[in-house]
């Protein structure tokens, strides 16, 4: 199978079996492409004709299957007094973070162009990219890292360093990537502003995030 990026749109359902008893059901759609899983938000009271209108991206390699598996669930609710309340969706899961490139960074190299690398950290894990030797203000990495996400992980802190062989590494800048959007939609591509050690914003870090929830029925 050809490798590449596949954009999948989950638009709407028609004439589904309605398993709601008191109110219309709250359907959500799960799409499985090999090891990649995406779940839409529940279409509140969508009944037999839910509308989702969600997009997500799947990265395919030679081992990817020839077809996608599609499952439609009815999200269950619990009654509390006279008010129906939704069972909360879990934030537990795995976040694949691809660090693509940085642009217009502060230059800290004195004799030659700087050699940037990125250190990424949450309360549960810490990773770093390779060193982009001589890349200066516009390094490129295109490297992916897998983070385990739970309720105590709200963001990823990132520090960009200049690799020094004779002295301590120099901080070029730092950034914080909040996870709320990626967890909510399953996918986000963003240019995160980079702050220099003196605080002014200079440059950005281009990242792409895919979240796979452990939420099951």
């Amino acid at each position: 199978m050809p490798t590449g990026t596949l954009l999948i749109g989950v638009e709407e359902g028609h004439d589904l079996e309605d398993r709601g008893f008191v109110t219309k059901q709250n359907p959500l759609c799960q799409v499985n492409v090999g090891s990649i899983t995406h779940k839409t938000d529940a279409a509140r009271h969508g009944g037999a004709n839910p509308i989702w209108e969600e997009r997500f991206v799947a990265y395919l390699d030679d081992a990817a299957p020839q077809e996608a598996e599609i499952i439609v669930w009815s999200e269950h609710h619990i009654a509390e007094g006279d008010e129906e309340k939704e069972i909360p969706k879990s934030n537990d899961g795995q976040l694949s973070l691809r660090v693509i490139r940085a642009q217009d960074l502060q230059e800290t190299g004195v004799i030659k162009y700087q050699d940037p690398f990125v250190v990424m950290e949450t309360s549960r894990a810490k990773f770093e990219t390779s060193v982009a030797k001589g890349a200066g203000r516009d390094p490129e990495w295109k490297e992916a890292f897998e983070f385990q996400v739970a309720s105590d992980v709200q963001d990823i802190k990132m520090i960009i360093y200049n690799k020094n062989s004779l002295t301590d590494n120099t901080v070029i800048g730092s950034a914080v990537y909040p996870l709320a959007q990626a967890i909510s939609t399953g996918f986000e591509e963003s240019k995160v502003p980079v702050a220099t050690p003196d605080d002014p914003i200079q440059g950005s870090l281009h990242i792409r995030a895919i979240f796979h929830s452990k939420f099951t029925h």
Side-chain angles (χ1 to χ4, degrees), residues 89-198:
K89 183 176 179 180
S90 172
N91 286 346
D92 290 359
Q94 181 170 294
L95 183 97
S96 177
L97 183 73
R98 187 170 178 84
V99 182
I100 301 172
R101 66 178 62 87
Q103 294 176 299
D104 300 324
L105 298 176
Q106 175 179 255
E107 176 65 69
T108 64
V110 179
I111 300 176
K112 61 176 184 176
Y113 288 125
Q114 62 193 4
D115 304 318
F117 68 99
V118 185
V119 175
M120 297 147 285
E121 187 172 7
T122 69
S123 59
R124 293 174 172 243
K126 184 176 183 179
F127 299 101
E128 65 180 61
T129 67
S130 60
V131 177
K133 293 185 177 180
R137 300 181 61 199
D138 301 293
E140 187 172 279
W141 296 282
K142 293 183 178 179
E143 297 174 15
F145 305 88
E146 303 296 326
F147 289 87
Q148 295 301 316
V149 175
S151 57
D152 62 326
V153 179
Q154 303 295 323
D155 53 44
I156 298 176
K157 296 175 175 60
M158 299 176 284
I159 301 178
I160 306 174
Y161 291 94
N162 177 26
K163 182 72 173 179
N164 296 320
S165 56
L166 300 177
T167 62
D168 292 340
N169 297 324
T170 306
V171 175
I172 299 172
S174 61
V176 176
Y177 173 55
L179 301 180
Q181 180 68 19
I183 291 173
S184 173
T185 64
F187 173 81
E188 183 180 27
E189 185 160 347
S190 178
K191 290 186 177 180
V192 185
V194 174
T196 69
D198 298 325

Side-chain angles (χ1 to χ4, degrees), residues 61-102:
D61 56 24
D62 293 332
Q66 298 292 320
E67 57 189 25
E69 177 186 31
I70 300 174
I71 304 171
V72 179
W73 302 90
S74 176
E75 184 175 69
H76 300 294
H77 288 71
I78 55 176
E80 186 172 311
D82 295 328
E83 182 181 0
E84 185 186 56
K85 294 197 173 182
E86 192 172 322
I87 297 174
K89 183 176 179 180
S90 172
N91 286 346
D92 290 359
Q94 181 170 294
L95 183 97
S96 177
L97 183 73
R98 187 170 178 84
V99 182
I100 301 172
R101 66 178 62 87

Side-chain angles (χ1 to χ4, degrees), residues 4 9 14 34-35 56 121 138 158 164 181 185 201 208 212 216:
H14 294 281
S35 61
F56 76 100
E121 187 172 7
D138 301 293
M158 299 176 284
N164 296 320
Q181 180 68 19
T185 64
I201 299 297
R208 183 181 296 136
H212 306 302
T216 56

